Amino acid sequence: MHIGFPFQITGSGTARTVSRGRWLRGLIEQVLFTAPGERVNRPDFGTPLNRMIFAPITSETSAGIQALVQGNLQHYLGEEIEVKEVTVTSDDSTLVVSVTFADRLTGERYREKFRTSEL
């Protein structure tokens, strides 16, 4: 078991734990929704997804976001996951990022969707 994200304390006073698949999803979520510059000593960690909410999603923009997301996931989580596919779509003021990846430890494949909406 792994410590869950976001961090929570259970009623018994221990850290909430989650399965490996849920833990990997939390790691991806942290990379996607941390803005560059938010982490001390890691100024390039994260992606600017929340700032791209209002950008028109053209095929060029979508390809750029996909490359950015895939590159960041491979850089920061490459020891834990193998990124298979990243797709980006837009629905009004919401970006939907779908990530297909394999767990390097177990070989299990996952497809997760992450949404960002107007803040």
Side-chain angles (χ1 to χ4, degrees), residues 11-32:
S12 63
T14 61
R16 179 179 64 95
T17 58
V18 295
S19 67
R20 182 166 173 83
R22 225 27 218 157
W23 176 71
L24 291 171
R25 186 186 198 293
L27 292 178
I28 294 170
E29 190 174 341
Q30 290 175 63
V31 171
L32 294 181

Side-chain angles (χ1 to χ4, degrees), residues 101-114:
F101 64 95
D103 182 339
R104 288 197 185 272
L105 181 65
T106 66
E108 191 169 352
R109 288 180 66 112
Y110 299 89
R111 182 168 180 83
E112 297 284 349
K113 286 189 178 186
F114 302 88

